[in-house]
């Protein structure tokens, strides 16, 4: 289940989701970044890790990509909240795989002219 938070001064907490990991029920904080011009940097990973609460996982979803520093910062760290990074490439892949917002379209056959061979010319 997903519960959206209020839009004002959420500290980067846009939603919380409840999910099951094996036999264990877990809660994750979700931070959504719809940035067109710049990659999500390590400061956003640090901000999400530092939010108060007893959630063991943080998820950052972006319509862009993550900087190399953000990817490194999100790596496993002892005694800190796990961070999952979901960028536009993952979103598009999931949409295609699960058929979300996409439709398969049949295309016509295309031919490429490769030239004549001497044996076919009279």
């Amino acid at each position: 289940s997903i519960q959206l938070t209020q839009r004002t001064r959420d500290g980067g907490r846009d939603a919380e989701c409840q999910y099951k990991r094996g036999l264990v029920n877990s809660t994750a904080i979700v931070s959504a970044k719809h940035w067109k011009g710049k990659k999500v940097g390590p400061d956003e990973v640090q901000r999400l890790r530092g939010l108060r609460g007893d959630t063991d996982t943080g998820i950052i979803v972006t319509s862009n990509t993550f900087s190399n520093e953000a990817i490194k910062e999100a790596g496993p760290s002892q005694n800190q909240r796990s961070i999952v990074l979901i960028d536009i490439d993952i979103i598009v892949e999931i949409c295609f795989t699960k058929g979300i917002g996409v439709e398969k379209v049949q295309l016509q056959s295309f031919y490429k002219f490769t030239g004549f061979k001497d044996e076919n010319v009279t």
Side-chain angles (χ1 to χ4, degrees):
S1 72
I2 298 174
Q3 192 170 35
L4 299 177
T5 60
Q6 294 180 353
R7 294 181 68 104
T8 57
R9 299 179 195 224
D10 58 14
R13 181 187 309 241
D14 297 312
E16 283 193 8
C17 66
Q18 313 292 321
Y19 66 99
K20 194 165 194 157
R21 184 187 299 167
L23 299 173
V24 178
N25 291 323
S26 295
T27 303
I29 298 171
V30 180
S31 178
K33 305 295 177 201
H34 182 53
W35 294 353
K36 293 182 182 182
K38 73 175 199 176
K39 295 179 178 187
V40 177
D43 53 324
E44 295 299 328
V45 176
Q46 294 165 354
R47 184 175 295 119
L48 189 59
R49 265 212 177 112
L51 288 177
R52 292 185 182 183
D54 58 357
T55 59
D56 60 355
T57 306
I59 302 169
I60 303 176
V61 181
T62 182
S63 57
N64 202 325
T65 59
F66 295 95
S67 69
N68 290 335
E69 295 83 8
I71 294 168
K72 184 176 178 181
E73 183 68 32
S77 186
Q78 192 173 13
N79 298 324
Q80 289 188 333
R81 180 178 289 136
S82 298
I83 302 295
V84 176
L85 303 179
I86 301 174
D87 66 8
I88 190 64
D89 291 336
I90 294 171
I91 294 169
V92 169
E93 180 182 332
I94 290 169
C95 288
F96 279 126
T97 303
K98 301 294 183 182
I100 302 168
V102 296
E103 176 180 324
K104 194 172 190 175
V105 176
Q106 190 69 30
L107 295 176
Q108 66 185 21
S109 297
F110 289 95
Y111 295 90
K112 177 182 171 185
F113 181 69
T114 59
F116 294 110
K117 298 189 187 230
D118 291 337
E119 60 200 43
N120 295 332
V121 178
T122 56

